[in-house]
Amino acid sequence: MIDGTAVLETVNLGKRYRRKWGLQDCTLTIPKGRVAALVGPNGAGNPHSCEWRLDWINRVLETYEYSENHHFRQWRPEGKVGYLDQERPLYKSFRVAEMLRFGAKNNPNWNMAVAQEHLAQLDIPLRSRIGNLSGGQQAQVALTLCLAKEPELLLLDEPAAALDPVARDELLRILMRQVADCDSSVLLSTHSLGDVVAICDYVVVLAHSRVVLSNDTEYVLESHRILSAVHDGDLLPPPGVSVINSQSSTRGQSLLVRVELPIDETQWRVERPTLEEIVLAYLREGSPGAKDRHSHDDEGLGE
């Protein structure tokens, strides 16, 4: 049982491709009321072995369990979860109004007024056929179907993928209004770090097939720094830091580090990284060449 501060928890979540694990021993907790981003390499798909727990303000517990023979057990709180797939599956021959009626018949907590208001603001006619809408409009209709359920947890798979800048901005704006108005929690998977910076207040990074970072974005920004040597020469990293990634540039060697205390040593130039720089540093450590870079960097730092 998870406590009342979390909306979702995974325990030992795993995904295996034949003999190779794409995701292994993934244990994390997503706090309620957050817009959380899940960022990682391709290949971290549906779990083969895991336990999921979703808590609805200490009222309902939902648990998914996969055993070795893939037996599946589920206790589902109706209408509590909204899911938007990257492919945005819709019945292309349906009119928009027919899609809304379809949603109403299949979701007990359906709010037709919310759906119609969203589409009216986007100037999407209810009589239009889904197949005649642009890609951005179809994405908005699919998101509207999720929001009309008024879910407590909204799961989004690359929600702004392949959208033009205007459609992307409109989709993210509506998403943020939903969170503010309905106190929803959101978990979105994305490769767009711009979306993470724009709307997310919690970030989860997957690398090495595991969760390597999971925390509030403000804390992540405050607990990381970029260090570069003021003078040429080999230097040991200052005490109290964990080196996440090292890079060579025209300015010499620079380190992205996680810090616990302020760095006062004068031989280092200390800069604040952007969230994008931090996330990329963790992702680089999961790339195929990370081991080779570490060997080279260790020599250069004199460790």
Side-chain angles (χ1 to χ4, degrees), residues 12-17 20-26 43-47 49 206-211:
N12 298 327
L13 184 67
K15 170 66 177 180
R16 185 167 59 190
Y17 300 91
K20 182 179 180 181
W21 285 95
L23 186 66
Q24 190 171 15
D25 297 330
C26 172
N46 293 327
S49 60
L206 300 175
H208 307 289
S209 303
R210 288 176 167 84
V211 175

PDB file of all heavy atoms in Angstrom, residues 12-17 20-26 43-47 49 206-211:
ATOM      1  N   ASN A  12      10.075  -2.787  -9.016  1.00  0.00           N
ATOM      2  CA  ASN A  12      10.797  -3.771  -9.824  1.00  0.00           C
ATOM      3  C   ASN A  12      10.204  -3.932 -11.220  1.00  0.00           C
ATOM      4  O   ASN A  12      10.079  -5.047 -11.740  1.00  0.00           O
ATOM      5  CB  ASN A  12      10.833  -5.127  -9.107  1.00  0.00           C
ATOM      6  CG  ASN A  12      11.561  -5.059  -7.786  1.00  0.00           C
ATOM      7  OD1 ASN A  12      12.510  -4.293  -7.627  1.00  0.00           O
ATOM      8  ND2 ASN A  12      11.115  -5.842  -6.819  1.00  0.00           N
ATOM      9  N   LEU A  13       9.855  -2.823 -11.823  1.00  0.00           N
ATOM     10  CA  LEU A  13       9.308  -2.830 -13.185  1.00  0.00           C
ATOM     11  C   LEU A  13      10.382  -3.280 -14.160  1.00  0.00           C
ATOM     12  O   LEU A  13      11.537  -2.857 -14.070  1.00  0.00           O
ATOM     13  CB  LEU A  13       8.845  -1.422 -13.542  1.00  0.00           C
ATOM     14  CG  LEU A  13       8.151  -1.207 -14.880  1.00  0.00           C
ATOM     15  CD1 LEU A  13       6.809  -1.905 -14.907  1.00  0.00           C
ATOM     16  CD2 LEU A  13       7.973   0.278 -15.139  1.00  0.00           C
ATOM     17  N   GLY A  14      10.024  -4.151 -15.106  1.00  0.00           N
ATOM     18  CA  GLY A  14      11.012  -4.668 -16.038  1.00  0.00           C
ATOM     19  C   GLY A  14      10.465  -4.906 -17.426  1.00  0.00           C
ATOM     20  O   GLY A  14       9.271  -5.171 -17.614  1.00  0.00           O
ATOM     21  N   LYS A  15      11.349  -4.775 -18.428  1.00  0.00           N
ATOM     22  CA  LYS A  15      11.016  -5.078 -19.821  1.00  0.00           C
ATOM     23  C   LYS A  15      12.242  -5.736 -20.448  1.00  0.00           C
ATOM     24  O   LYS A  15      13.332  -5.164 -20.432  1.00  0.00           O
ATOM     25  CB  LYS A  15      10.646  -3.807 -20.584  1.00  0.00           C
ATOM     26  CG  LYS A  15      10.514  -3.992 -22.097  1.00  0.00           C
ATOM     27  CD  LYS A  15       9.350  -4.892 -22.471  1.00  0.00           C
ATOM     28  CE  LYS A  15       9.201  -5.012 -23.995  1.00  0.00           C
ATOM     29  NZ  LYS A  15       8.070  -5.873 -24.370  1.00  0.00           N
ATOM     30  N   ARG A  16      12.055  -6.943 -20.996  1.00  0.00           N
ATOM     31  CA  ARG A  16      13.179  -7.675 -21.563  1.00  0.00           C
ATOM     32  C   ARG A  16      12.944  -7.959 -23.041  1.00  0.00           C
ATOM     33  O   ARG A  16      11.845  -8.326 -23.446  1.00  0.00           O
ATOM     34  CB  ARG A  16      13.391  -8.983 -20.807  1.00  0.00           C
ATOM     35  CG  ARG A  16      14.616  -9.762 -21.253  1.00  0.00           C
ATOM     36  CD  ARG A  16      14.945 -10.870 -20.270  1.00  0.00           C
ATOM     37  NE  ARG A  16      13.836 -11.811 -20.117  1.00  0.00           N
ATOM     38  CZ  ARG A  16      13.789 -12.760 -19.187  1.00  0.00           C
ATOM     39  NH1 ARG A  16      14.776 -12.882 -18.313  1.00  0.00           N
ATOM     40  NH2 ARG A  16      12.748 -13.570 -19.118  1.00  0.00           N
ATOM     41  N   TYR A  17      13.982  -7.762 -23.861  1.00  0.00           N
ATOM     42  CA  TYR A  17      13.961  -8.091 -25.281  1.00  0.00           C
ATOM     43  C   TYR A  17      14.871  -9.308 -25.471  1.00  0.00           C
ATOM     44  O   TYR A  17      16.096  -9.167 -25.491  1.00  0.00           O
ATOM     45  CB  TYR A  17      14.447  -6.921 -26.118  1.00  0.00           C
ATOM     46  CG  TYR A  17      13.618  -5.677 -25.948  1.00  0.00           C
ATOM     47  CD1 TYR A  17      13.945  -4.722 -24.991  1.00  0.00           C
ATOM     48  CD2 TYR A  17      12.481  -5.459 -26.728  1.00  0.00           C
ATOM     49  CE1 TYR A  17      13.182  -3.579 -24.826  1.00  0.00           C
ATOM     50  CE2 TYR A  17      11.715  -4.327 -26.567  1.00  0.00           C
ATOM     51  CZ  TYR A  17      12.069  -3.391 -25.616  1.00  0.00           C
ATOM     52  OH  TYR A  17      11.306  -2.256 -25.446  1.00  0.00           O
ATOM     53  N   LYS A  20      18.179  -9.416 -23.487  1.00  0.00           N
ATOM     54  CA  LYS A  20      18.610  -8.091 -23.060  1.00  0.00           C
ATOM     55  C   LYS A  20      17.479  -7.350 -22.364  1.00  0.00           C
ATOM     56  O   LYS A  20      16.357  -7.306 -22.850  1.00  0.00           O
ATOM     57  CB  LYS A  20      19.086  -7.271 -24.272  1.00  0.00           C
ATOM     58  CG  LYS A  20      19.608  -5.898 -23.910  1.00  0.00           C
ATOM     59  CD  LYS A  20      20.092  -5.156 -25.147  1.00  0.00           C
ATOM     60  CE  LYS A  20      20.603  -3.779 -24.783  1.00  0.00           C
ATOM     61  NZ  LYS A  20      21.060  -3.036 -25.983  1.00  0.00           N
ATOM     62  N   TRP A  21      17.803  -6.758 -21.205  1.00  0.00           N
ATOM     63  CA  TRP A  21      16.825  -5.969 -20.470  1.00  0.00           C
ATOM     64  C   TRP A  21      16.822  -4.541 -20.996  1.00  0.00           C
ATOM     65  O   TRP A  21      17.843  -3.867 -20.999  1.00  0.00           O
ATOM     66  CB  TRP A  21      17.154  -5.960 -18.975  1.00  0.00           C
ATOM     67  CG  TRP A  21      16.829  -7.236 -18.283  1.00  0.00           C
ATOM     68  CD1 TRP A  21      17.672  -8.273 -18.044  1.00  0.00           C
ATOM     69  CD2 TRP A  21      15.561  -7.620 -17.753  1.00  0.00           C
ATOM     70  NE1 TRP A  21      17.011  -9.290 -17.400  1.00  0.00           N
ATOM     71  CE2 TRP A  21      15.711  -8.911 -17.199  1.00  0.00           C
ATOM     72  CE3 TRP A  21      14.311  -7.001 -17.693  1.00  0.00           C
ATOM     73  CZ2 TRP A  21      14.665  -9.592 -16.603  1.00  0.00           C
ATOM     74  CZ3 TRP A  21      13.267  -7.683 -17.085  1.00  0.00           C
ATOM     75  CH2 TRP A  21      13.438  -8.961 -16.546  1.00  0.00           C
ATOM     76  N   GLY A  22      15.656  -4.077 -21.453  1.00  0.00           N
ATOM     77  CA  GLY A  22      15.504  -2.676 -21.814  1.00  0.00           C
ATOM     78  C   GLY A  22      15.154  -1.829 -20.609  1.00  0.00           C
ATOM     79  O   GLY A  22      15.417  -0.625 -20.579  1.00  0.00           O
ATOM     80  N   LEU A  23      14.562  -2.461 -19.607  1.00  0.00           N
ATOM     81  CA  LEU A  23      14.192  -1.798 -18.364  1.00  0.00           C
ATOM     82  C   LEU A  23      14.263  -2.837 -17.263  1.00  0.00           C
ATOM     83  O   LEU A  23      13.751  -3.942 -17.418  1.00  0.00           O
ATOM     84  CB  LEU A  23      12.779  -1.222 -18.469  1.00  0.00           C
ATOM     85  CG  LEU A  23      12.271  -0.361 -17.311  1.00  0.00           C
ATOM     86  CD1 LEU A  23      13.075   0.924 -17.217  1.00  0.00           C
ATOM     87  CD2 LEU A  23      10.797  -0.045 -17.497  1.00  0.00           C
ATOM     88  N   GLN A  24      14.931  -2.499 -16.152  1.00  0.00           N
ATOM     89  CA  GLN A  24      15.147  -3.495 -15.115  1.00  0.00           C
ATOM     90  C   GLN A  24      15.107  -2.856 -13.727  1.00  0.00           C
ATOM     91  O   GLN A  24      15.669  -1.774 -13.517  1.00  0.00           O
ATOM     92  CB  GLN A  24      16.503  -4.182 -15.328  1.00  0.00           C
ATOM     93  CG  GLN A  24      16.722  -5.399 -14.449  1.00  0.00           C
ATOM     94  CD  GLN A  24      17.978  -6.160 -14.844  1.00  0.00           C
ATOM     95  OE1 GLN A  24      18.817  -5.645 -15.571  1.00  0.00           O
ATOM     96  NE2 GLN A  24      18.097  -7.384 -14.372  1.00  0.00           N
ATOM     97  N   ASP A  25      14.425  -3.528 -12.818  1.00  0.00           N
ATOM     98  CA  ASP A  25      14.373  -3.109 -11.413  1.00  0.00           C
ATOM     99  C   ASP A  25      13.993  -1.632 -11.272  1.00  0.00           C
ATOM    100  O   ASP A  25      14.600  -0.898 -10.505  1.00  0.00           O
ATOM    101  CB  ASP A  25      15.718  -3.365 -10.727  1.00  0.00           C
ATOM    102  CG  ASP A  25      16.059  -4.849 -10.696  1.00  0.00           C
ATOM    103  OD1 ASP A  25      15.120  -5.661 -10.655  1.00  0.00           O
ATOM    104  OD2 ASP A  25      17.255  -5.184 -10.730  1.00  0.00           O
ATOM    105  N   CYS A  26      12.991  -1.217 -12.022  1.00  0.00           N
ATOM    106  CA  CYS A  26      12.558   0.185 -11.996  1.00  0.00           C
ATOM    107  C   CYS A  26      11.575   0.385 -10.847  1.00  0.00           C
ATOM    108  O   CYS A  26      10.445  -0.077 -10.892  1.00  0.00           O
ATOM    109  CB  CYS A  26      11.905   0.554 -13.322  1.00  0.00           C
ATOM    110  SG  CYS A  26      11.134   2.170 -13.340  1.00  0.00           S
ATOM    111  N   GLY A  43      12.914   1.852 -26.414  1.00  0.00           N
ATOM    112  CA  GLY A  43      13.065   0.452 -26.031  1.00  0.00           C
ATOM    113  C   GLY A  43      12.564   0.134 -24.644  1.00  0.00           C
ATOM    114  O   GLY A  43      12.536  -1.025 -24.250  1.00  0.00           O
ATOM    115  N   ALA A  44      12.210   1.139 -23.856  1.00  0.00           N
ATOM    116  CA  ALA A  44      11.646   0.870 -22.529  1.00  0.00           C
ATOM    117  C   ALA A  44      10.137   0.768 -22.677  1.00  0.00           C
ATOM    118  O   ALA A  44       9.420   1.744 -22.512  1.00  0.00           O
ATOM    119  CB  ALA A  44      12.016   1.979 -21.549  1.00  0.00           C
ATOM    120  N   GLY A  45       9.654  -0.416 -23.018  1.00  0.00           N
ATOM    121  CA  GLY A  45       8.254  -0.569 -23.378  1.00  0.00           C
ATOM    122  C   GLY A  45       7.416  -1.161 -22.281  1.00  0.00           C
ATOM    123  O   GLY A  45       7.643  -0.937 -21.100  1.00  0.00           O
ATOM    124  N   ASN A  46       6.407  -1.965 -22.673  1.00  0.00           N
ATOM    125  CA  ASN A  46       5.497  -2.552 -21.688  1.00  0.00           C
ATOM    126  C   ASN A  46       6.245  -3.540 -20.807  1.00  0.00           C
ATOM    127  O   ASN A  46       7.137  -4.247 -21.261  1.00  0.00           O
ATOM    128  CB  ASN A  46       4.352  -3.284 -22.409  1.00  0.00           C
ATOM    129  CG  ASN A  46       3.467  -2.313 -23.156  1.00  0.00           C
ATOM    130  OD1 ASN A  46       3.280  -1.189 -22.733  1.00  0.00           O
ATOM    131  ND2 ASN A  46       2.931  -2.773 -24.286  1.00  0.00           N
ATOM    132  N   PRO A  47       5.866  -3.629 -19.549  1.00  0.00           N
ATOM    133  CA  PRO A  47       6.635  -4.472 -18.618  1.00  0.00           C
ATOM    134  C   PRO A  47       6.382  -5.953 -18.803  1.00  0.00           C
ATOM    135  O   PRO A  47       5.301  -6.373 -19.151  1.00  0.00           O
ATOM    136  CB  PRO A  47       6.140  -4.001 -17.250  1.00  0.00           C
ATOM    137  CG  PRO A  47       4.773  -3.488 -17.509  1.00  0.00           C
ATOM    138  CD  PRO A  47       4.808  -2.885 -18.880  1.00  0.00           C
ATOM    139  N   SER A  49       7.778  -7.949 -16.116  1.00  0.00           N
ATOM    140  CA  SER A  49       7.676  -8.295 -14.693  1.00  0.00           C
ATOM    141  C   SER A  49       7.582  -7.011 -13.894  1.00  0.00           C
ATOM    142  O   SER A  49       8.433  -6.142 -14.036  1.00  0.00           O
ATOM    143  CB  SER A  49       8.906  -9.096 -14.252  1.00  0.00           C
ATOM    144  OG  SER A  49      10.088  -8.347 -14.447  1.00  0.00           O
ATOM    145  N   LEU A 206      15.443   7.695 -17.375  1.00  0.00           N
ATOM    146  CA  LEU A 206      15.829   6.298 -17.471  1.00  0.00           C
ATOM    147  C   LEU A 206      17.130   6.191 -18.260  1.00  0.00           C
ATOM    148  O   LEU A 206      17.234   6.735 -19.360  1.00  0.00           O
ATOM    149  CB  LEU A 206      14.739   5.480 -18.175  1.00  0.00           C
ATOM    150  CG  LEU A 206      13.364   5.448 -17.527  1.00  0.00           C
ATOM    151  CD1 LEU A 206      12.381   4.698 -18.426  1.00  0.00           C
ATOM    152  CD2 LEU A 206      13.426   4.788 -16.164  1.00  0.00           C
ATOM    153  N   ALA A 207      18.116   5.499 -17.726  1.00  0.00           N
ATOM    154  CA  ALA A 207      19.369   5.205 -18.415  1.00  0.00           C
ATOM    155  C   ALA A 207      19.936   3.935 -17.810  1.00  0.00           C
ATOM    156  O   ALA A 207      19.620   3.597 -16.662  1.00  0.00           O
ATOM    157  CB  ALA A 207      20.361   6.363 -18.289  1.00  0.00           C
ATOM    158  N   HIS A 208      20.772   3.234 -18.562  1.00  0.00           N
ATOM    159  CA  HIS A 208      21.308   1.959 -18.078  1.00  0.00           C
ATOM    160  C   HIS A 208      20.177   0.985 -17.742  1.00  0.00           C
ATOM    161  O   HIS A 208      20.348   0.119 -16.876  1.00  0.00           O
ATOM    162  CB  HIS A 208      22.176   2.143 -16.830  1.00  0.00           C
ATOM    163  CG  HIS A 208      23.269   3.153 -16.953  1.00  0.00           C
ATOM    164  ND1 HIS A 208      24.395   2.951 -17.730  1.00  0.00           N
ATOM    165  CD2 HIS A 208      23.412   4.377 -16.407  1.00  0.00           C
ATOM    166  CE1 HIS A 208      25.184   4.010 -17.640  1.00  0.00           C
ATOM    167  NE2 HIS A 208      24.605   4.894 -16.857  1.00  0.00           N
ATOM    168  N   SER A 209      19.026   1.146 -18.394  1.00  0.00           N
ATOM    169  CA  SER A 209      17.849   0.307 -18.142  1.00  0.00           C
ATOM    170  C   SER A 209      17.257   0.509 -16.757  1.00  0.00           C
ATOM    171  O   SER A 209      16.442  -0.292 -16.299  1.00  0.00           O
ATOM    172  CB  SER A 209      18.187  -1.191 -18.324  1.00  0.00           C
ATOM    173  OG  SER A 209      18.703  -1.433 -19.606  1.00  0.00           O
ATOM    174  N   ARG A 210      17.655   1.570 -16.058  1.00  0.00           N
ATOM    175  CA  ARG A 210      17.168   1.825 -14.709  1.00  0.00           C
ATOM    176  C   ARG A 210      16.829   3.301 -14.528  1.00  0.00           C
ATOM    177  O   ARG A 210      17.245   4.138 -15.327  1.00  0.00           O
ATOM    178  CB  ARG A 210      18.212   1.406 -13.671  1.00  0.00           C
ATOM    179  CG  ARG A 210      18.380  -0.108 -13.521  1.00  0.00           C
ATOM    180  CD  ARG A 210      19.486  -0.446 -12.549  1.00  0.00           C
ATOM    181  NE  ARG A 210      19.456  -1.849 -12.159  1.00  0.00           N
ATOM    182  CZ  ARG A 210      20.011  -2.822 -12.875  1.00  0.00           C
ATOM    183  NH1 ARG A 210      20.647  -2.528 -14.000  1.00  0.00           N
ATOM    184  NH2 ARG A 210      19.925  -4.075 -12.464  1.00  0.00           N
ATOM    185  N   VAL A 211      16.100   3.587 -13.465  1.00  0.00           N
ATOM    186  CA  VAL A 211      15.837   4.975 -13.099  1.00  0.00           C
ATOM    187  C   VAL A 211      17.110   5.554 -12.491  1.00  0.00           C
ATOM    188  O   VAL A 211      17.617   5.051 -11.484  1.00  0.00           O
ATOM    189  CB  VAL A 211      14.680   5.073 -12.089  1.00  0.00           C
ATOM    190  CG1 VAL A 211      14.508   6.516 -11.623  1.00  0.00           C
ATOM    191  CG2 VAL A 211      13.388   4.554 -12.701  1.00  0.00           C
TER     192      VAL A 211
END
